[in-house]
Amino acid sequence: MQDIANIIDGCKQWKRGSQEELYRQFYGYAMAICLRYANHKEEAVEMLNDGFLKIFTHISTYDTSRPFKSWLARIMANTAIDHLRAQKRLLFAEDINKVYDLGSGNEDALDKISVDELLKLVQELPPAYKTVFNLYVMEGFQHQQIADMLGISEGTSKSNLFKAKRILKEKIEKAAAYNTNEKKDLPPQVAKVKNE
């Protein structure tokens, strides 16, 4: 495995081997980002390839004093947003000035669903909610940064995050209840295996 600095230098010189190595090393990480925004894998692959094209085209602007992974993540997220915008799928909820309490709900519901189930539930969110949720929760951007990226107000960002969390909370609780009931219906020896 080549050193990332050497790979980046090769990419700056448009060396095909360096581009392939960069793609290979960061494919999984970049795909995970794209899948969070896409409705299906084919759409995520399209976002991913567009993102890598932007990376190869603009790699000379990468500031080597900063982590490369963060730079790549931002490009992938922006590419996904551009893709959704082009398809006119980003319709944001109204602006709010305060975020309402979601309530406590079922505290251990998250323990009853798998990571894959949780990611699937996030993917089922409406595009605008999913985008703000991913930018805030998964990518770590603040509401003002999200507002600037998406061309919306900070209050609209907060509103969309609130609504995304409310929908997810309901879906998580339903999935957890389903998983609990499914295990109750299984013969004891099968339920034991599923719990392990």
Side-chain angles (χ1 to χ4, degrees):
M1 192 151 98
Q2 285 186 31
D3 175 67
I4 187 65
N6 291 335
I7 295 170
I8 290 168
D9 285 342
C11 288
K12 285 179 180 178
Q13 297 166 40
W14 287 91
K15 289 184 178 174
R16 183 85 175 139
S18 296
Q19 291 175 334
E20 287 172 1
E21 183 64 20
L22 186 83
Y23 187 89
R24 191 185 63 70
Q25 280 193 29
F26 290 95
Y27 173 87
Y29 178 71
M31 179 57 94
I33 294 168
C34 294
L35 281 169
R36 291 197 296 258
Y37 294 90
N39 284 337
H40 47 80
K41 189 165 183 181
E42 293 78 20
E43 185 178 37
V45 168
E46 190 177 326
M47 291 172 178
L48 176 101
N49 289 332
D50 289 348
F52 270 109
L53 182 60
K54 286 181 184 177
I55 287 167
F56 296 141
T57 304
H58 300 288
I59 199 149
S60 60
T61 65
Y62 164 63
D63 177 1
T64 55
S65 68
R66 304 188 67 138
F68 179 75
K69 222 172 178 179
S70 300
W71 186 75
L72 179 137
R74 188 171 189 124
I75 288 178
M76 288 297 165
N78 283 330
T79 301
I81 291 165
D82 290 345
H83 181 85
L84 295 173
R85 262 198 200 115
Q87 295 185 344
K88 305 209 181 326
R89 288 188 6 220
L90 289 181
L91 302 171
F92 293 95
E94 71 283 351
D95 188 344
I96 61 168
N97 292 320
K98 62 181 180 176
V99 177
Y100 301 95
D101 183 21
L102 288 173
S104 60
N106 186 350
E107 295 296 328
D108 63 337
L110 270 175
D111 296 336
K112 294 180 180 158
I113 66 170
S114 70
V115 172
D116 287 342
E117 286 174 301
L118 179 59
L119 289 175
K120 186 176 182 299
L121 294 177
V122 170
Q123 281 188 308
E124 291 172 1
L125 288 170
Y129 297 172
K130 177 170 50 177
T131 300
V132 172
F133 180 86
N134 282 324
L135 289 170
Y136 188 84
V137 175
M138 309 300 263
E139 314 294 345
F141 290 107
Q142 298 302 309
H143 285 295
Q144 187 56 59
Q145 294 171 298
I146 295 168
D148 292 344
M149 288 169 79
L150 300 176
I152 58 176
S153 72
E154 192 172 344
T156 300
S157 177
K158 289 177 182 176
S159 172
N160 280 269
L161 178 65
F162 166 77
K163 290 176 180 181
K165 285 182 173 180
R166 186 180 63 205
I167 292 167
L168 275 177
K169 179 179 175 240
E170 290 167 6
K171 287 180 178 266
I172 288 168
E173 288 174 355
K174 281 181 188 171
Y178 175 78
N179 288 349
T180 301
N181 290 336
E182 183 183 67
K183 287 175 186 170
K184 284 180 188 172
D185 295 340
L186 295 171
Q189 62 275 22
V190 177
K192 184 177 184 282
V193 170
K194 282 198 79 137
N195 285 326
E196 289 175 352

